[in-house]
Amino acid sequence: MVTTKLIPRTPEAVEPPLLIKSILAQSLRYEPQREIIYRDLFRMNYVEFNKRVRRLANMLTGLGIAPGDTVAVLDWDSHRYLECFFGVTSMGAVLHTVNVRLSPAQILYTMNHAQDKVVLIHEDFLPILTAIKDQLTTVEKYVILYDKVYTDLNAVGQVPAGFSCEYEAALRDESDEYDFPDFDENTWATTFYTTGTTGNPKGVYFSHRQLFMHTMGLSTFVCGYQAVPFSSTADVYMPITPMFHVHAWGFPFLATLLSAKQVYPGRYEPEVLLKLLLSEGVTLSHCVPTILTMLVNSPVAKQVDLSRWKVIIGGSALTKGLAKAALELGIQVYQGYGMSETAPIMALTQLNDTERPLPIDEQVDYRTRAGRVAPFVDIRLMDDDGNFVPHDGHSLGEVVARGYWMTQGYYEDPERGADLWKGGWLHTGDVASVTPDNWLIIADRTKDVVKTGGEWVSSLDIENLLSQIDGVAETAVVGLPDERWGERPHALVVLKPGTDLTADSIRQMLRDRIEADHLNKWYLPDRILFVAEIPKTSVGKIDKKRIRTDMKDQILNT
């Protein structure tokens, strides 16, 4: 430890803690008349939003929530969820954003493990609650969330048996005065659960300081360095990534800080998403590749002007084929990189003055990289022996990271937490290179690299080649056991409607491309299987574990 000289402190001086309530306070300072919108059901400005956040805090206090207690939310992306982001955390309680796409048994585990005390639940998820309610061990109160209360006044106040209140009616009965207290900035603010390849879901947690710093880092990157240009005066934000998934990648905090116009679409329905996109002038969204694939392949997409829409892709790799298809529709598409454990932003597409004027075909290579390493994030590459690998754009190593907003472990799971932070660096499990000018280029997940004939072949590289074949809508590549070569790549392919491609024709096009680009012959998959859809995880990522296990026999016997 270096010996330094600390600044003298005056006993009366105050250094305010970095709290989420400070982000909320900014929303009233400059553009409080801007709107927050929920589908075509509800609109409010930031003045009303701040009042509702305080009413929520009063409601939760009345239900027995005190600092340190956990409040669970099961809802679609909504203004109510945004209110919980600020109301629950700013009173010193912990917000548990429940992944409603998990199985009922997994949801039960996460709610008991998080020790949820009060549950806010949308009526659409009542069947889940019915299946697990008798096994919940810590929940004391339930609040029902209805959409119909915004269109049917008679619906307001309808409270199912066993519930304490209906959200909207309860808020209306509460005072909009609530003095959010100061407390230690390292106070636990949020928790959610991420599934791995084995064992129960892991509880990831973040403090007020970490979420405050993530918001500042994101602001620096997108507002300052213009990675994905975001302006409070020119942009309208709509997430197409669930708010239960890493706080919708942190953008609701940033949009609220800037008092930007926000649009929340509720349940993801293609016609509703497109309607809101056009009617509300949405300019910034983020989603997994599956959602963007669905939109760019829609006939409607070719009939409307999407040239103002910027989309950040995360969760799975953005292929060159999908990037080209989006750019040809005028959609400005970007790649983001991060993990649930990193809050999540670690890298994001950022074109500099030299790269920005390039033709679209030349930009694709940059836009499909993991991105430039974000401000205040320290990323290194590490070999199997724990040595750092040079950032020369060629050398590969596991991505390890440090930063102001990385989770410190897993809740009540010190063994997996120690493995995550082995050697004092957060281990991502991704293999990558880093260029001298700060571009992160993911080669593959360590468990997804195909080890064949003594060569390491990137499944992402093969997916990129397949995605650029006209008629291929979506693809996934996995390595499967091979007696001779150890492993060989196998591909699942979803074709666009009306396409007459065959496995042989795809293999020939791949062979031509591999020869033209002087790529290794190992990149040619042994088998190509056509499927109606690619298996996905609960957050929309390609589920390669499931492909390798549940579908292995189907692939090998085709």
Side-chain angles (χ1 to χ4, degrees), residues 207-515:
S207 68
H208 281 254
R209 174 184 169 81
Q210 288 169 325
L211 295 180
F212 185 97
M213 290 304 299
H214 183 269
T215 306
M216 296 303 108
L218 193 55
S219 174
T220 301
F221 213 12
V222 303
C223 301
Y225 289 107
Q226 297 284 287
V228 180
F230 187 55
S231 161
S232 65
T233 57
D235 285 298
V236 178
Y237 165 68
M238 180 175 75
I240 319 180
T241 304
M243 297 179 80
F244 66 70
H245 186 224
V246 207
H247 324 107
W249 301 355
F251 278 88
F253 289 117
L254 175 61
T256 302
L257 172 74
L258 300 175
S259 55
K261 181 179 177 181
Q262 302 186 58
V263 180
Y264 288 89
R267 180 200 288 265
Y268 296 160
E269 299 166 319
E271 64 276 9
V272 173
L273 292 175
L274 192 57
K275 178 182 177 182
L276 291 171
L277 181 67
L278 298 175
S279 64
E280 300 298 341
V282 173
T283 62
L284 177 66
S285 298
H286 45 76
C287 63
V288 294
T290 307
I291 297 289
L292 186 61
T293 298
M294 175 189 69
L295 291 171
V296 300
N297 289 332
S298 168
V300 180
K302 297 176 176 61
Q303 301 170 16
V304 295
D305 181 9
L306 298 174
S307 60
R308 295 187 66 238
W309 196 28
K310 295 167 285 192
V311 181
I312 303 168
I313 295 297
S316 299
L318 171 64
T319 63
K320 291 183 178 180
L322 180 55
K324 285 181 179 178
L327 290 166
E328 286 168 358
L329 289 172
I331 302 169
Q332 295 298 303
V333 66
Y334 305 83
Q335 176 80 61
Y337 172 73
M339 302 169 60
S340 296
E341 292 84 349
T342 63
I345 299 297
M346 287 197 285
L348 197 58
T349 300
Q350 192 263 337
L351 302 176
N352 62 23
D353 292 344
T354 303
E355 298 151 353
R356 208 172 296 116
L358 293 173
I360 285 179
D361 283 349
E362 295 182 44
Q363 286 190 17
V364 165
D365 177 61
Y366 293 102
R367 290 177 183 265
T368 53
R369 297 177 178 182
R372 273 198 164 98
V373 179
F376 313 121
V377 173
D378 187 6
I379 277 183
R380 303 285 182 88
L381 302 175
M382 188 176 286
D383 65 19
D384 292 341
D385 296 323
N387 301 310
F388 290 126
V389 173
H391 291 186
D392 56 15
H394 304 290
S395 302
L396 294 176
E398 183 191 5
V399 178
V400 297
R402 289 175 177 170
Y404 295 108
W405 48 79
M406 313 289 177
T407 190
Q408 296 298 293
Y410 298 115
Y411 181 45
E412 294 188 340
D413 195 346
E415 185 175 331
R416 286 200 281 189
D419 190 52
L420 176 71
W421 277 98
K422 185 172 51 182
W425 289 85
L426 186 147
H427 288 253
T428 68
D430 291 320
V431 176
S433 62
V434 177
T435 67
D437 55 348
N438 212 34
W439 281 101
L440 177 67
I441 304 172
I442 300 295
D444 220 331
R445 295 285 295 169
T446 53
K447 61 179 179 288
D448 292 335
V449 173
V450 183
K451 305 173 184 68
T452 179
E455 299 283 343
W456 281 36
V457 173
S458 167
S459 66
L460 299 183
D461 285 348
I462 302 174
E463 288 165 5
N464 254 327
L465 292 172
L466 286 165
S467 74
Q468 295 175 73
I469 294 175
D470 189 27
V472 171
E474 195 175 12
T475 184
V477 173
V478 298
L480 294 175
D482 183 271
E483 290 185 4
R484 183 178 182 185
W485 304 114
E487 279 189 328
R488 288 293 298 140
H490 297 257
L492 295 185
V493 171
V494 177
L495 295 178
K496 295 177 182 178
T499 300
D500 59 359
L501 290 172
T502 66
D504 286 342
S505 65
I506 290 177
R507 282 173 58 81
Q508 185 56 54
M509 283 184 272
L510 278 180
R511 188 178 289 108
D512 294 343
R513 183 65 182 270
I514 287 170
E515 291 176 357

Side-chain angles (χ1 to χ4, degrees), residues 499-553:
T499 300
D500 59 359
L501 290 172
T502 66
D504 286 342
S505 65
I506 290 177
R507 282 173 58 81
Q508 185 56 54
M509 283 184 272
L510 278 180
R511 188 178 289 108
D512 294 343
R513 183 65 182 270
I514 287 170
E515 291 176 357
D517 292 350
H518 304 290
L519 297 174
N520 194 306
K521 63 181 181 179
W522 299 111
Y523 278 73
L524 191 65
D526 274 15
R527 300 286 179 89
I528 294 174
L529 175 65
F530 297 117
V531 294
E533 61 180 350
I534 304 290
K536 305 292 195 312
T537 68
S538 64
V539 294
K541 299 180 182 179
I542 292 176
D543 192 344
K544 293 195 174 182
K545 175 175 178 280
R546 179 179 164 192
I547 294 171
R548 278 190 295 264
T549 55
D550 296 350
M551 302 184 71
K552 180 164 60 176
D553 291 340

Side-chain angles (χ1 to χ4, degrees), residues 37-73:
I37 296 154
Y38 176 51
R39 294 173 77 91
D40 59 352
L41 298 174
F42 186 83
R43 310 175 80 93
M44 62 179 164
N45 62 24
Y46 277 92
V47 174
E48 181 60 21
F49 172 68
N50 274 260
K51 291 179 179 179
R52 286 172 61 90
V53 168
R54 285 169 167 77
R55 289 191 182 110
L56 171 60
N58 280 314
M59 179 189 80
L60 292 172
T61 300
L63 293 174
I65 292 295
D69 290 335
T70 302
V71 177
V73 178

